[in-house]
Amino acid sequence: MLECVINISEGGNPSQLSELSAELGPDLLDLHSDADHNRSVFTLAGEDPARTLTKSAAAMFDIREHHGVHPRVGIVDVVPFVALEPSTFGEAIEARNRFARFASEELGIPCFLYGPERTLPFIRKHAFVDLSPDFGPAQPHPRSGAICVGARPILIAYNVWLKDQSVETAKRIAKTIRTNERRTLGLQVGPHAQVSMNLIDPDVTGPLEAYDAVAELAPVDHAELVGLVPARTLARIPRERWTQLDLSGEKTIEWRIAERNRRLSGAGD
């Protein structure tokens, strides 16, 4: 099975997000929205729901009206395909390329590929400057911008909110704890400072290590999981830390897929 974790540049309109969610049915494994980031993360099962969501979001939103603290290149900003067992990384690459061809040919949205070729941060820095799209027009779509379409291993998006600290402190912490396995940003989110992280190799650096790295440098208000975690990541964290780290058994990929399968089985009875 392939998982697709689509990042949409809209997080402050619950009615529109509910409308998008309703179209996805059981294939929507998780939805996380943040009004200050003005961003929503849809965790999906399979390729077809990714196309459904992209069509609807591209028709519904306009990048020219978007404001938010998170970097973005388009309305449908990031579309990574992730191979879950027994699927292979090669199958994720093929799904990525099919999706980029679909979005460029049917919707006219330029697409930049990431994965073995280049990283997502590289695209954010170079898109339309000295890097041309891999598929589609050479210029951003007037309403939709562009899409970063990737194939990657499982990663964990994770935020740690600081207690009574400035954004300068968050930026300093982000720089201090940044590694190859832990991509970090220090952000001002509403009245609060946040260290926002992508944990690229959760078997090496997971939520526990990320939280504790921040807590060593500043008081922490709370942690926030964005999306889901692999069950193996949760299993190596002491259960007494789960609540502090915003984790639970129901927030694992495996639990949500099993729940999806139960719903599909029930729908077919």
Side-chain angles (χ1 to χ4, degrees):
M1 174 180 288
L2 295 178
E3 176 190 56
C4 189
V5 189
I6 297 188
N7 289 228
I8 301 291
S9 297
E10 173 57 53
N13 193 314
S15 62
Q16 289 178 307
L17 294 172
S18 294
E19 185 178 337
L20 292 174
S21 299
E23 296 182 352
L24 302 169
D27 290 323
L28 176 61
L29 304 179
D30 186 73
L31 170 60
H32 180 279
S33 297
D34 184 282
D36 291 301
H37 282 253
N38 203 7
R39 194 171 185 85
S40 295
V41 179
F42 290 76
T43 304
L44 308 174
E47 292 184 58
D48 289 343
R51 298 187 182 203
T52 298
L53 177 58
T54 298
K55 286 181 181 179
S56 297
M60 186 176 290
F61 303 121
D62 190 330
I63 192 64
R64 294 169 293 189
E65 300 172 0
H66 178 83
H67 301 280
V69 298
H70 199 286
R72 68 277 181 187
V73 299
I75 284 295
V76 182
D77 188 47
V78 183
V79 180
F81 289 91
V82 181
L84 305 178
E85 294 182 355
S87 296
T88 66
F89 186 69
E91 290 172 321
I93 290 283
E94 292 171 0
R96 177 197 70 173
N97 295 345
R98 285 192 295 268
F99 179 91
R101 190 171 295 109
F102 146 78
S104 61
E105 293 179 357
E106 295 192 25
L107 305 179
I109 304 174
C111 294
F112 295 89
L113 301 181
Y114 70 96
E117 304 88 347
R118 61 180 77 97
T119 66
L120 179 58
F122 183 90
I123 295 175
R124 294 213 184 281
K125 183 176 181 180
H126 294 276
F128 300 114
V129 178
D130 54 6
L131 180 66
S132 298
D134 296 282
F135 289 83
Q139 300 299 322
H141 187 282
R143 284 180 53 88
S144 299
I147 305 177
C148 304
V149 190
R152 61 162 175 78
I154 292 172
L155 66 74
I156 298 172
Y158 198 66
N159 299 327
V160 176
W161 300 69
L162 304 184
K163 185 175 183 179
D164 301 324
Q165 301 293 311
S166 67
V167 69
E168 288 76 21
T169 298
K171 290 179 178 179
R172 183 169 63 252
I173 292 172
K175 183 177 180 180
T176 300
I177 69 172
R178 187 175 298 139
T179 66
N180 289 336
E181 295 82 25
R182 183 166 52 210
R183 296 175 184 164
T184 59
L185 289 172
L187 301 172
Q188 184 73 43
V189 183
H192 305 290
Q194 178 193 93
V195 180
S196 179
M197 294 173 270
N198 278 343
L199 308 179
I200 304 301
D201 188 348
D203 291 331
V204 174
T205 301
L208 176 64
E209 293 82 7
Y211 182 101
D212 288 348
V214 175
E216 287 182 4
L217 300 174
V220 170
D221 186 80
H222 67 280
E224 178 184 39
L225 175 67
V226 180
L228 304 173
V229 298
R232 68 175 185 268
T233 298
L234 187 66
R236 69 183 187 86
I237 297 173
R239 183 178 289 268
E240 60 268 21
R241 297 289 303 274
W242 287 6
T243 299
Q244 180 189 44
L245 300 176
D246 191 31
L247 301 174
S248 69
E250 291 77 13
K251 293 183 178 182
T252 63
I253 298 168
E254 289 83 355
W255 193 94
R256 296 294 176 90
I257 289 176
E259 179 63 19
R260 166 190 178 265
N261 292 341
R262 284 192 292 268
R263 292 176 63 188
L264 289 173
S265 177
D269 291 342

